[in-house]
Amino acid sequence: MRLGLNMGYWGAGNDASNLKLAIEAERLGFSVVWAAEAYGSDAPTVLSWVAAQTSTIDIGSAVMQIPARTPAMTAMTAATLDTLSGGRFRLGLGVSGPQVSEGWHGVRFGKPLGRTREYVEVVRQALSGERVRHDGEHYQLPLPDGPGKALQLTVHGARKDLPVYLASVGPRNLELTGEIADGWLGIFCSPKHLPKHLAHIQAGRTKAGKTGLEGFDVAPSMPIVPGADWRRCADFTRPYTALYVGGMGSREKNFYNALAVSMGYADAAKQVQDAYLDRRYDEAMAALPLELLDEIALLGTKERIAERLTALAEAGVTTVNLACPPGEDGFAALRTAAEALELAGLGE
């Protein structure tokens, strides 16, 4: 098992420490540091800044939004980051949600599976060095009725097999991830529920003629809060979890709320969403069951975290991407995770 650092969104509280956290993660032997984007900071700019001041740790987008860029632009960005970083870039992609896709980017959200499949096909074709030609429902390159011509990526030195990850939720999305991606960026990852998610990913890999999950990176993000009392530690994860369960999407379409429901927390998920959308944020946080928080985070002593890492590894996780507390507590969390991994005997 490997460890990663998920810096999340720039502007979300850890800004003053994020670069130092990335440098500390590299010192501790972490394999990758990720940056996210929604409708604030963009991931590539942050990653280029981190890559310029590190030397061995991989950099990854978790995620770059599919509706924000054409697939050709994403290939250009990925190739540039990979070349500048010396082959350290991992491309994480996601369709975002209807509110951001249509409200911020002006891109219809419909048919996300088909769009994702075609998007990855174009990105991979561009990175391969071929002339890009694609005749699909969502993307046509070149356009058939104009002066455009098939072009090749001119960035030399970028890896043709640059790893592509998908952030996906739900059976069909997970199957697509297994079929066309090299890794999965999961959320709300519980050892108890992970096998059913991996079964869908395996179905996709089987469809693509691949055997088992060998070489596929199961890489969920998880909050980590070390401390003597795991129940008190859990309280620090309530704002993050309430945001996703209650506020990431509309009442009609919130993928993370649906994920909590599928994990057996339907009543709580409804309470959290109702309160959050009514801006009763304290009530939303309070409605989160302690059991849910414990399932999806690393909480408590080093020994307890080591036990949880063992359970995750046995369930199939290959990389755990840590979302750390702000300030000095974040550095303590990184060190605790590294020590817990060693204690569990899981380090590579």
Side-chain angles (χ1 to χ4, degrees):
M1 176 181 278
R2 299 173 294 274
L3 295 177
L5 168 64
N6 192 334
M7 298 186 298
Y9 307 112
W10 215 260
N14 243 358
D15 304 356
S17 302
N18 264 334
L19 177 60
K20 293 179 181 178
L21 280 171
I23 292 171
E24 177 67 2
E26 180 176 65
R27 188 189 70 81
L28 291 168
F30 280 42
S31 66
V32 61
V33 56
W34 305 87
E37 63 183 21
Y39 43 94
S41 59
D42 72 290
T45 302
V46 173
L47 293 173
S48 64
W49 188 61
V50 172
Q53 299 174 79
T54 55
S55 59
T56 58
I57 195 168
D58 279 7
I59 55 169
S61 56
V63 297
M64 285 168 60
Q65 297 170 322
I66 285 175
R69 303 169 183 83
T70 66
M73 183 70 244
T74 289
M76 291 166 60
T77 303
T80 304
L81 281 170
D82 198 52
T83 303
L84 290 175
S85 66
R88 291 188 283 143
F89 181 60
R90 306 184 194 184
L91 175 60
L93 296 169
V95 292
S96 190
Q99 290 184 320
V100 174
S101 182
E102 299 191 9
W104 187 247
H105 298 300
V107 175
R108 296 293 181 192
F109 187 75
K111 300 183 178 180
L113 288 173
R115 284 190 296 117
T116 300
R117 179 185 294 278
E118 290 189 26
Y119 197 97
V120 172
E121 287 174 358
V122 175
V123 168
R124 287 197 188 278
Q125 187 179 32
L127 290 172
S128 74
E130 301 175 14
R131 291 189 180 275
V132 176
R133 295 180 175 89
H134 186 85
D135 185 16
E137 177 183 356
H138 305 280
Y139 300 100
Q140 287 193 318
L141 295 167
L143 291 175
D145 54 356
K149 66 177 185 178
L151 299 173
Q152 289 174 286
L153 182 70
T154 61
V155 177
H156 303 294
R159 290 173 294 165
K160 295 181 179 181
D161 59 348
L162 187 151
V164 176
Y165 291 67
L166 291 179
S168 50
V169 176
R172 294 175 64 203
N173 284 284
L174 290 167
E175 184 173 328
L176 180 67
T177 300
E179 182 183 353
I180 69 173
D182 304 299
W184 172 50
L185 297 170
I187 190 172
F188 291 5
C189 183
S190 162
K192 182 169 66 175
H193 297 283
L194 185 60
K196 65 183 179 183
H197 300 318
L198 294 186
H200 296 303
I201 290 174
Q202 178 58 70
R205 287 178 64 79
T206 300
K207 187 176 179 180
K210 301 170 184 175
T211 303
L213 293 175
E214 185 69 29
F216 185 89
D217 194 11
V218 178
S221 288
M222 303 187 74
I224 178 171
V225 184
D229 184 349
W230 72 266
R231 294 169 181 81
R232 292 192 62 184
C233 294
D235 288 337
F236 290 95
T237 70
R238 290 185 183 276
Y240 160 89
T241 311
L243 169 63
Y244 277 83
V245 174
M248 281 288 195
S250 64
R251 196 179 302 275
E252 294 74 26
K253 193 178 287 287
N254 179 326
F255 304 119
Y256 310 105
N257 187 281
L259 183 54
V261 171
S262 74
M263 295 172 68
Y265 298 99
D267 292 343
K270 185 179 186 307
Q271 292 177 40
V272 172
Q273 186 178 63
D274 288 345
Y276 204 98
L277 294 180
D278 287 342
R279 299 188 177 185
R280 293 179 280 115
Y281 302 127
D282 288 344
E283 289 183 37
M285 290 188 285
L288 289 164
L290 190 61
E291 295 79 10
L292 170 61
L293 299 174
D294 191 32
E295 277 195 61
I296 63 175
L298 301 171
L299 308 171
T301 63
K302 176 176 64 178
E303 291 75 17
R304 194 174 192 273
I305 290 172
E307 291 175 1
R308 185 55 53 91
L309 290 175
T310 299
L312 288 166
E314 290 174 349
V317 172
T318 51
T319 302
V320 179
N321 298 312
L322 305 176
C324 294
E328 289 299 320
D329 289 341
F331 295 93
L334 291 180
R335 291 190 289 270
T336 298
E339 292 169 2
L341 191 74
E342 184 177 359
L343 179 64
L346 297 171
E348 293 189 341

